Amino acid sequence: MAKSAAQVRQEFIDFFRSKEHAFVRSSPVVPLDDPTLLFTNAGMNQFKPYFLGTETPQHRRVANTQKCIRAGGKHNDLDDVGHDTYHHTFFEMLGNWSFGDYFKAEAIDWAWELLVTRWGLDATRLHATYFEGDQNEGLEPDLEARDLWLKLLPPERVHPGNKKDNFWEMGDTGPCGPCSEVHVDLTPDKTGASLVNAGDARVIEIWNLVFIQFNRAPGGKLSPLPARHVDTGMGFERVTAVLQGHNNNYATESFVPLIQWLEERTGHHYGGRGVTAVESAERENRYARMVQGDMRDEACRVIADHVRCLTFALTDGAVPDREGRGYVLRRILRRGVRFGWQYLNLHEPFLCELVDTVVKTMGDAFPELKQNPQRIKEIIREEEESFERTLDRGIELFNEAAEWARQDHHGEVRGEDAFKLHDTYGFPIDLTQVMAEEKGLRVDIGEYERLMEEARERARAGGKDTAHVVTVPPELVAPFGPTDDSPKYSAESLALPVQAIVRISEDGAELLGADAALEPGDEAGIVFEQTCFYAESGGQVGDSGVIGGGEVRFDVEDTQQIGETIVHLGALMTGEIVPGQQVTLTVDPARRATMKNHTATHILNWALRAVLGDHVQQKGSLVDAEKTRFDFSHPKALSPEEIEQVERLVNEQVERDLEVHYELVPQEEALKISGLRAVFGERYPDVVRVMSVGVPVSELVSNPDCPDWCQHSIEFCGGTHLERTGQIEHFVLIAEEAVAKGIRRVVGITGPLARQAEELGAALVERASRLQDGPAEELAAGLTELQDALAAATVPVRQRIALRELLSELQKRAKQQQKASAAGAADAVREHVDELLQQAAQVGETTVAVGELPELSVDQLKTAADMVKQKCGSAAVLFGVRAGEKALLLAAMTDDLVKRGLKAGDLIKQVAKLVKGGGGGPPTMAQAGGKDAAGVPAALEAGREWIEGKLG
């Protein structure tokens, strides 16, 4: 009887437990603390510090099933998904690891024992590979692995492999080493030896045994690691298919429910599901090569794969976006939508509806999927609806571009068409390339990249350059760790000898010898065996402070944990420091403010869940002396009422002056506590520090199911906190905004700053109320002052919202006043115009309106001129105004007069000198100012003569 997928997973874990391996949970597919990776692409990612020797492993042998995504970055299988039946963007990696314990012999022997002895795979179908060496890298062939395999397999089934196939690297930098792969020959007559590593589904790799021996530094240099390690990865979907008798991963229960859903929705019968290992390989090859023919089976595979990837990635905290991993997810989603739209006639959101099937299929193995699938569905639905609004027109444009390419243009889609598809219709370039390949075409990728770079340059315009930052390499300080930082919870000052100094410059970092001294102006990282400084972790910033004594002063600007070693980063101001010198460490008193904000953050986390619901999950935080910034999952902006409720709950806990408790607890026991919160994906030690508000941790551990304790904050936390909640004094939220789709951010402040913000907000509200009831003539100026004050002020969000509403009302009143004032001014101008026109001369069909008006503004004079032109059709206008000792002249001509050579600018130049001034303007309207108001009558008379002379 064939094994189920669940059995395969569990039997693998149980086998390695029998070999003294500890089971560890899968880390998230979104790496929390590794900027070199877009996604977790292998089981070894979470163990990278152990391979580098910067952290000490809790267990020397571990095993797990790791969630992996290979789409983007060094390992990218996206382009292969759908074309064949064994590559995936998301997959499970079954793995076992040795951290400086066993090595190649045990890894190979146990692989054979599990596959052949326990699972009963036909040994005559197995092939193994080993690394053949690489002269360019100075790497010798892995003859040790070859000889170990030759004890189990005949020589014709042990194959050398090149660097591409048999030297494994996680990324461009990091731990790496030669690997040895296990392949299964699924050909009917077992003649597939030549197909090993040939990309053929008939001979498929199922297990990769990696022997981690090197670290690749930036620039490519390889150096030996402090110890040798084993890192194996078995493709769960592949081995399950083989054990069930398939050469098609999509025939396993990991995919069948998804394909069945598509069959029921579309009416298409997926043809590849029943293919088995003993059937003709020709049928499988047809599916792998299917490009020009029926694409519906390929579409089913693409959709089934992509919805799994999206569901896991979004569950683990990623969101679709315009860059980075968010952009990769958006590409995956749009690729799936396009296949469904174009080949399965799915023209309504459908990926979101498949999420429930993924959760049902995978939720038992990965319970995090069950926490809030509705949120995942909403995010996917919104993305689908957004893309579908442009998809139909985008496909139409692509077809036009493809037709152009076919018509004697060498089968090449123009780069500008590909760019337009990306820029206007949201088609990622790889999607356009795939669509081109399906039609036997290619894309002018060079022209596309040129246009993209132009767009990037435009986007970068006005941006700031990032300063060059030199950090402390882990290998320089690893020999001195781990640092004992337990004094940080009880001491703010500590006298100690300097253990090590790393001088930092633009050229790099160097470890100072015993006789070398740090001199004033030098930047450095200083290491001690102990410290009372808090190293940046868990969202709390690293401490600043002073290291010194006597004439020595080293200003610590930041404290970081590098591996297991804590490094105090800063600059020497006075004196000199050498290794071994006795100094005093003193933490900046500002840490007390940071502690207020950190304790408030925990209560805020609890309050947000109490008000918004249990779907709220922490997605990031930053705690420093000024504020707490907290990111969390929530689909929409908080209402003013919700913001007020959150603040009220936090301040109630503050007013109760509850004791804050901390205790070290075995992780296994701590995880049983009802209401306990831990950041999903964080690696916690076997013994964790539990922080709780109002309830002793020991009581929580002894009675983990008491529901009353869910009314308080209970979390894993290694940060520094207050003794009692009353020491927070007061709490307000000063900002609430979106940072990504489905992720909100709030910013809060505590203590005197919170009270000051609230008092300032109340004062501004009072000021707005007075302005609302005050004299109309003060409204415009007062409104501008109030808007400027609010823009510069730090006030609570709820008060800012109320102020914006008041300002909106005041702006409406100000506009009404402006309209009324303008209407009154227009009426006054109209009276003057009517009076002037009664005295105006008529020359043919043209009205000559020349005269002196009372003291009006330039805008009012222009309005008067427009009125004359509108009433008379053909008109020549010249107005004069005396304003004290100064004069103002304005001339205007209708278009018909301009065509006859009468230009307002020419007229102004002729008469401006009579008021001892000057001016000008375009032919239809011009103006001048002068110093002599007494000259206005003469200027008007001269102007009248000029106009009449021109008119004949």
Side-chain angles (χ1 to χ4, degrees):
M1 182 177 177
K3 297 180 184 296
S4 69
Q7 285 177 310
V8 173
R9 185 188 293 114
Q10 192 60 49
E11 287 179 5
F12 177 91
I13 294 167
D14 290 343
F15 174 80
F16 280 101
R17 275 179 168 155
S18 74
K19 304 296 183 184
E20 300 178 343
H21 287 62
F23 174 74
V24 295
R25 292 178 59 197
S26 169
S27 62
V29 292
V30 179
L32 291 177
D33 52 5
D34 192 340
T36 68
L37 290 175
L38 283 177
F39 297 100
T40 300
N41 60 21
M44 63 88 68
N45 292 170
Q46 66 173 304
F47 306 123
K48 182 177 175 182
Y50 303 158
F51 295 136
L52 290 172
T54 59
E55 290 186 22
T56 303
Q58 298 174 35
H59 309 283
R60 300 292 297 277
R61 301 179 179 185
V62 300
N64 83 343
T65 177
Q66 172 63 50
K67 304 175 291 186
C68 297
I69 290 179
R70 290 189 178 175
K74 185 177 181 65
H75 298 279
N76 183 3
D77 292 337
L78 178 59
D79 294 339
D80 295 320
V81 173
H83 296 316
D84 64 32
T85 61
Y86 56 92
H87 280 100
H88 305 289
T89 54
F90 169 84
F91 63 96
E92 283 184 68
M93 181 78 82
L94 301 171
N96 59 287
W97 289 268
S98 163
F99 306 121
D101 190 10
Y102 62 83
F103 203 46
K104 296 177 184 178
E106 293 88 344
I108 290 172
D109 285 345
W110 290 339
W112 183 267
E113 181 182 347
L114 178 60
L115 293 173
V116 177
T117 306
R118 297 292 180 92
W119 280 345
L121 279 181
D122 183 352
T124 63
R125 289 189 176 275
L126 297 182
H127 293 252
T129 63
Y130 66 93
F131 180 48
E132 66 184 8
D134 189 292
Q135 290 185 352
N136 293 329
E137 294 267 17
L139 296 169
E140 297 294 325
D142 190 358
L143 302 181
E144 181 184 0
R146 181 200 65 181
D147 294 342
L148 288 167
W149 279 117
L150 288 174
K151 294 178 182 179
L152 303 168
L153 292 167
E156 63 271 17
R157 285 195 276 126
V158 179
H159 312 270
N162 59 24
K163 181 183 169 186
K164 174 180 176 294
D165 293 321
N166 282 91
F167 193 88
W168 199 89
E169 303 191 58
M170 180 180 69
D172 293 330
T173 61
C176 54
C179 62
S180 186
E181 299 170 340
V182 180
H183 297 251
V184 180
D185 184 349
L186 301 176
T187 60
D189 54 0
K190 305 178 186 179
T191 57
S194 63
L195 301 178
V196 171
N197 275 335
D200 194 301
R202 290 172 291 178
V203 178
I204 192 168
E205 174 204 341
I206 59 168
W207 207 346
N208 190 5
L209 314 178
V210 182
F211 309 119
I212 300 290
Q213 299 173 239
F214 305 102
N215 180 53
R216 189 176 293 280
K221 183 180 178 181
L222 289 173
S223 58
L225 289 169
R228 301 186 305 175
H229 314 280
V230 170
D231 160 28
T232 85
M234 177 189 287
F236 169 70
E237 292 81 3
R238 291 186 184 184
V239 75
T240 300
V242 169
L243 291 174
Q244 292 180 354
H246 305 297
N247 63 353
N248 179 353
N249 291 0
Y250 293 89
T252 67
E253 59 265 48
S254 295
F255 296 95
V256 166
L258 296 166
I259 292 175
Q260 285 177 337
W261 188 96
L262 289 168
E263 288 178 329
E264 292 171 3
R265 173 63 69 89
T266 66
H268 167 65
H269 176 66
Y270 178 76
R273 180 154 38 99
V275 180
T276 62
V278 297
E279 292 183 83
S280 170
E282 189 57 36
R283 186 180 184 193
E284 175 63 28
N285 286 341
R286 180 171 63 83
Y287 290 121
R289 294 196 307 267
M290 185 171 55
V291 173
Q292 299 301 323
D294 187 347
M295 296 289 290
R296 290 177 295 177
D297 276 6
E298 184 167 335
C300 288
R301 290 195 289 272
V302 167
I303 292 166
D305 171 274
H306 288 8
V307 75
R308 285 177 12 124
C309 180
L310 292 166
T311 302
F312 274 90
L314 297 179
T315 297
D316 284 359
V319 288
D321 206 345
R322 290 178 293 180
E323 58 186 23
R325 67 172 60 99
Y327 177 63
V328 174
L329 289 181
R330 184 164 281 167
R331 287 169 55 199
I332 291 170
L333 186 145
R334 291 181 173 182
R335 187 172 187 255
V337 170
R338 198 275 297 188
F339 269 92
W341 178 287
Q342 198 165 3
Y343 300 116
L344 296 176
N345 201 33
L346 292 167
H347 291 180
E348 298 289 338
F350 63 92
L351 288 173
C352 54
E353 296 183 31
L354 278 162
V355 169
D356 289 335
T357 305
V358 176
V359 173
K360 184 177 180 181
T361 305
M362 308 291 290
D364 289 340
F366 301 100
E368 60 270 19
L369 294 177
K370 298 179 179 181
Q371 289 180 356
N372 190 11
Q374 188 59 38
R375 170 182 166 270
I376 308 305
K377 292 165 69 173
E378 289 171 359
I379 293 173
I380 294 177
R381 178 181 293 278
E382 188 175 337
E383 284 287 323
E384 287 189 87
E385 290 174 344
S386 173
F387 185 44
E388 285 175 356
R389 282 193 287 270
T390 61
L391 182 58
D392 202 23
R393 175 62 188 127
I395 291 174
E396 183 181 339
L397 174 63
F398 172 80
N399 288 335
E400 292 171 2
E403 187 61 32
W404 183 91
R406 282 199 192 94
Q407 295 174 356
D408 298 326
H409 293 99
H410 311 293
E412 187 171 69
V413 175
R414 289 177 294 195
E416 54 262 43
D417 288 332
F419 177 76
K420 185 176 181 181
L421 281 165
H422 165 83
D423 195 48
T424 306
Y425 299 101
F427 279 46
I429 183 59
D430 58 332
L431 176 57
T432 302
Q433 287 177 302
V434 167
M435 293 171 69
E437 289 170 8
E438 291 169 4
K439 293 181 178 291
L441 306 172
R442 63 186 182 280
V443 177
D444 183 353
I445 199 68
E447 178 65 6
Y448 166 82
E449 287 293 352
R450 186 187 70 78
L451 293 170
M452 279 297 295
E453 186 56 33
E454 286 182 2
R456 293 187 192 105
E457 287 296 333
R458 289 193 296 270
R460 284 194 290 262
K464 297 180 180 179
D465 293 332
T466 302
H468 177 63
V469 178
V470 178
T471 57
V472 175
E475 57 269 22
L476 288 185
V477 296
F480 305 102
T483 307
D484 175 14
D485 63 346
S486 56
K488 67 189 177 188
Y489 298 120
S490 56
E492 295 180 356
S493 183
L494 205 61
L496 291 166
V498 173
Q499 189 179 20
I501 301 173
V502 179
R503 182 189 285 124
I504 302 170
S505 68
E506 290 187 358
D507 297 328
E510 60 172 338
L511 188 67
L512 295 190
D515 298 328
L518 204 61
E519 298 178 352
D522 285 347
E523 295 183 352
I526 302 182
V527 178
F528 300 89
E529 290 184 357
Q530 269 193 325
T531 183
C532 55
F533 279 62
Y534 181 86
E536 179 180 339
S537 178
Q540 181 176 333
V541 297
D543 278 340
S544 58
V546 175
I547 295 172
E551 297 181 355
V552 175
R553 180 185 175 95
F554 180 92
D555 283 354
V556 179
E557 298 170 3
D558 192 15
T559 307
Q560 296 285 332
Q561 180 168 323
I562 300 174
E564 295 179 306
T565 307
I566 291 176
V567 182
H568 307 75
L569 299 165
L572 184 64
M573 310 309 291
T574 59
E576 66 175 27
I577 298 180
V578 297
Q581 182 175 337
Q582 189 80 9
V583 292
T584 300
L585 291 75
T586 305
V587 177
D588 191 317
R591 183 168 82 177
R592 189 69 182 175
T594 302
M595 292 163 66
K596 287 184 179 184
N597 289 331
H598 199 164
T599 302
T601 303
H602 282 237
I603 303 174
L604 170 64
N605 189 357
W606 162 79
L608 286 166
R609 293 196 311 277
V611 173
L612 304 177
D614 285 339
H615 67 277
V616 169
Q617 297 288 334
Q618 180 177 341
K619 295 300 180 183
S621 66
L622 172 65
V623 180
D624 58 26
E626 296 177 355
K627 65 186 176 301
T628 171
R629 191 184 74 199
F630 191 77
D631 297 348
F632 59 98
S633 55
H634 189 60
K636 59 185 178 181
L638 275 66
S639 68
E641 294 76 19
E642 288 170 334
I643 291 170
E644 190 171 355
Q645 287 179 52
V646 169
E647 284 184 343
R648 178 177 56 78
L649 287 177
V650 174
N651 284 311
E652 282 178 0
Q653 299 285 57
V654 172
E655 290 165 10
R656 292 174 66 187
D657 194 26
L658 299 168
E659 186 175 355
V660 180
H661 301 270
Y662 324 92
E663 193 170 324
L664 294 174
V665 180
Q667 183 186 143
E668 196 170 325
E669 292 183 25
L671 288 171
K672 297 175 184 176
I673 298 172
S674 176
L676 180 135
R677 310 298 291 185
V679 178
F680 176 68
E682 282 277 14
R683 286 190 296 122
Y684 294 104
D686 285 347
V687 177
V688 293
R689 189 169 186 260
V690 178
M691 174 261 198
S692 71
V693 174
V695 183
V697 176
S698 57
E699 293 186 25
L700 294 170
V701 173
S702 60
N703 298 285
D705 297 323
C706 179
D708 291 342
W709 293 334
C710 295
Q711 302 304 311
H712 301 279
S713 171
I714 309 164
E715 299 188 40
F716 288 168
C717 187
T720 56
H721 287 274
L722 302 169
E723 296 79 28
R724 307 191 69 85
T725 61
Q727 294 165 338
I728 295 172
E729 299 179 53
H730 196 58
F731 175 84
V732 295
L733 291 172
I734 59 169
E736 192 277 339
E737 62 185 350
V739 291
K741 189 165 293 184
I743 307 294
R744 306 299 301 181
R745 169 175 292 170
V746 291
V747 179
I749 55 177
T750 59
L753 289 177
R755 294 203 183 277
Q756 289 169 17
E758 204 156 44
E759 289 168 3
L760 177 57
L764 290 175
V765 170
E766 175 62 25
R767 189 168 158 186
S769 299
R770 287 199 308 270
L771 193 59
Q772 197 170 31
D773 300 330
E777 60 271 16
E778 297 178 5
L779 180 57
L783 181 58
T784 300
E785 291 176 3
L786 188 57
Q787 288 171 323
D788 291 343
L790 179 59
T794 297
V795 300
V797 178
R798 52 185 161 74
Q799 290 178 325
R800 187 175 293 275
I801 292 171
L803 278 163
R804 285 173 180 162
E805 291 175 353
L806 284 170
L807 287 173
S808 178
E809 290 299 318
L810 290 172
Q811 285 170 334
K812 289 178 183 177
R813 282 188 57 199
K815 285 180 181 179
Q816 289 170 353
Q817 287 182 5
Q818 288 172 354
K819 283 183 180 180
S821 176
D827 289 341
V829 169
R830 189 174 291 107
E831 291 177 11
H832 295 306
V833 167
D834 291 343
E835 184 178 340
L836 188 65
L837 288 177
Q838 290 175 4
Q839 304 169 9
Q842 196 75 21
V843 180
E845 296 181 354
T846 300
T847 299
V848 180
V850 177
E852 184 174 346
L853 296 177
E855 190 171 335
L856 298 176
S857 67
V858 173
D859 287 341
Q860 288 173 321
L861 288 178
K862 290 179 179 179
T863 299
D866 287 338
M867 287 180 178
V868 171
K869 289 160 64 172
Q870 289 171 5
K871 287 189 174 187
C872 300
S874 176
V877 178
L878 179 62
F879 296 149
V881 172
R882 284 184 260 196
E885 296 180 356
K886 294 184 178 180
L888 178 63
L889 300 174
L890 184 134
M893 301 290 172
T894 52
D895 292 339
D896 64 307
L897 298 184
V898 172
K899 291 178 182 178
R900 292 170 59 181
L902 281 78
K903 298 179 180 179
D906 294 344
L907 173 55
I908 281 295
K909 289 176 184 176
Q910 287 292 320
V911 300
K913 56 190 177 183
L914 298 175
V915 294
K916 297 181 180 179
T924 55
M925 190 172 289
Q927 67 188 62
K931 301 177 182 178
D932 185 9
V936 168
L940 293 174
E941 187 57 34
R944 187 192 310 275
E945 292 175 1
W946 185 91
I947 294 169
E948 291 177 347
K950 290 285 186 180
L951 291 173

